[in-house]
Amino acid sequence: MDCTRIKLEEFQVTEDPVTLVDSTKKNGLQGATVQIINMDDVNMEIDFVGFHISLVNALRRLILAEVATMAIEKVYMYNNTSIVQDEVLAHRLGLVPLKVDPRYFEFRNKDETEWGAQDSVQYTLKVKCSKNPKASSTETDPDLMYLNRKITSSSLEWKPIGNQPDIFRAEAMQPLHDDILLAKLNPGHEIYLEAYAVKGIGSDHAKFQPGLSWYRLLPEIELAREVEGTAAELLQRCFSPGVIDIVTNKEGKRVARVANARGDSCSRNVFHYDEIKDAVKLSKNTDHVIFYVESHCSLKSSEILEEAVSLLISKCDNILAILDKET
């Protein structure tokens, strides 16, 4: 896009004809910056300034489609007398996120007939529901009346294959969350199965996606005129909390001020009110992309982004190698 601003108007979205192409785009990535705003093991918020939006979107697509994780792929159902059908139970097991680090495993050959330590993780689930002998005769809560009433992901037991006990700790091979409900049983019901997890990517199945990733352009809000009194309060309610503050100026009037445009959700609610819709100019900065990563797997949010960047570098190297070969 030749314009670095997108104007959000009442009935349309247009390009700002005043703003010219940013110099960072004329000179490749010269002057581009990356800043981590928030980061923990699960969530990451990072700013890409001066990058073309297609590059940021490439990272998003790589995270969703090609960053590998481990998930249950094959289930051998030996006994299932619960009300949950075999295929439904197997599907639920496949969606259980695992703590297993995929970087220690290889992709499984589709023609392979045996489960190997280098490409597979085995689990068993063997439970039976029975009456709780310690329950009161007046008890009505089925969770207290019966043992193994609710079967959760904590019931999955890791069964090492080959030399896996020498490499992995049992704690690192468990489900990421131990309270995911798989089935509810009544007395006499039982489940016995074996499950095998393999390494895969999101383009094969969504269960292999490491988490979520999305981005948005930096919102910008400019007050075209002073808004005071009840109109200022109305303006404040049109935006997300914290975006607009009301302060007292030197004349003692309560007026609206832009406090944090970054928090705006771009709802354009302000255009519903004729008395204030001309007081605000809304836009988005296409040179400033706010990128988010949310981990749902064993990898930290930063590790997911690192894997995506490595994949992008590898793809670029392959393209350059092909071009060098042809030229």
Side-chain angles (χ1 to χ4, degrees):
M1 181 180 295
D2 292 336
C3 180
T4 60
R5 294 294 184 276
I6 296 176
K7 294 177 63 177
L8 305 180
E9 300 178 354
E10 183 174 2
F11 298 110
Q12 60 185 347
V13 177
T14 61
E15 295 181 1
D16 189 342
V18 177
T19 308
L20 301 177
V21 180
D22 188 82
S23 60
T24 57
K25 291 186 177 181
K26 292 182 178 179
N27 303 313
L29 294 180
Q30 183 179 356
T33 61
V34 177
Q35 182 180 3
I36 297 174
I37 305 302
N38 296 301
M39 183 176 67
D40 55 33
D41 290 351
V42 177
N43 296 291
M44 182 182 212
E45 180 180 351
I46 184 170
D47 284 6
F48 290 93
V49 182
F51 292 83
H52 196 280
I53 203 168
S54 61
L55 178 62
V56 181
N57 190 49
L59 292 175
R60 180 192 67 86
R61 295 187 60 166
L62 284 169
I63 288 174
L64 297 179
E66 296 193 38
V67 173
T69 64
M70 302 291 290
I72 291 176
E73 175 74 4
K74 184 74 71 174
V75 178
Y76 295 94
M77 200 76 63
Y78 298 118
N79 190 15
N80 177 21
T81 58
S82 71
I83 62 173
V84 182
Q85 297 95 329
D86 291 355
E87 59 272 22
V88 174
L89 181 55
H91 182 264
R92 289 189 176 187
L93 289 168
L95 296 178
V96 172
L98 304 173
K99 290 182 181 179
V100 185
D101 193 329
R103 293 169 292 187
Y104 290 98
F105 291 86
E106 302 173 1
F107 286 100
R108 181 174 171 81
N109 191 328
K110 293 183 178 180
D111 299 327
E112 188 66 48
T113 57
E114 296 185 0
W115 302 98
Q118 75 284 355
D119 59 19
S120 309
V121 180
Q122 180 184 2
Y123 296 93
T124 61
L125 195 159
K126 189 173 185 179
V127 291
K128 183 176 182 179
C129 182
S130 59
K131 290 185 178 181
N132 184 1
K134 298 182 180 180
S136 170
S137 59
T138 59
E139 183 62 63
T140 58
D141 186 349
D143 293 338
L144 299 177
M145 294 171 60
Y146 310 126
L147 300 175
N148 294 325
R149 161 70 174 172
K150 291 182 179 179
I151 307 305
T152 63
S153 51
S154 62
S155 300
L156 287 169
E157 183 181 354
W158 174 50
K159 293 294 183 181
I161 301 175
N163 65 339
Q164 288 182 349
D166 300 330
I167 304 174
F168 305 106
R169 294 180 296 107
E171 296 79 12
M173 308 299 284
Q174 304 303 318
L176 189 61
H177 307 287
D178 59 8
D179 58 350
I180 300 175
L181 183 64
L182 301 176
K184 289 185 178 181
L185 306 184
N186 287 326
H189 289 176
E190 59 182 307
I191 297 175
Y192 175 35
L193 59 84
E194 284 185 356
Y196 291 87
V198 300
K199 186 175 181 177
I201 57 178
S203 59
D204 291 334
H205 195 285
K207 68 184 178 182
F208 291 112
Q209 288 183 349
L212 298 177
S213 181
W214 68 98
Y215 63 86
R216 63 190 180 101
L217 302 178
L218 179 70
E220 295 181 339
I221 302 173
E222 179 185 350
L223 295 182
R225 61 176 175 85
E226 194 169 80
V227 183
E228 61 181 61
T230 57
E233 295 175 356
L234 177 60
L235 180 66
Q236 185 182 49
R237 293 195 297 270
C238 289
F239 293 90
S240 304
V243 174
I244 301 294
D245 271 353
I246 298 178
V247 299
T248 303
N249 62 12
K250 295 180 180 179
E251 290 78 24
K253 298 178 180 179
R254 300 178 71 249
V255 296
R257 291 288 185 268
V258 178
N260 180 23
R262 184 188 183 94
D264 180 32
S265 61
C266 300
S267 64
R268 293 191 283 179
N269 287 335
V270 67
F271 294 120
H272 290 306
Y273 305 97
D274 293 335
E275 62 269 34
I276 58 173
K277 66 182 182 181
D278 65 328
V280 179
K281 293 181 180 179
L282 304 178
S283 63
K284 288 189 174 185
N285 186 347
T286 60
D287 274 343
H288 192 142
V289 182
I290 306 172
F291 190 77
Y292 299 89
V293 179
E294 181 180 325
S295 174
H296 296 166
C297 67
S298 62
L299 299 177
K300 299 177 181 179
S301 57
S302 58
E303 293 173 336
I304 293 176
L305 184 58
E306 289 174 4
E307 291 293 311
V309 172
S310 297
L311 287 168
L312 184 58
I313 293 173
S314 176
K315 291 177 181 292
C316 292
D317 288 341
N318 289 337
I319 292 176
L320 292 175
I322 294 173
L323 292 175
D324 289 340
K325 184 177 180 181
E326 293 298 325
T327 57

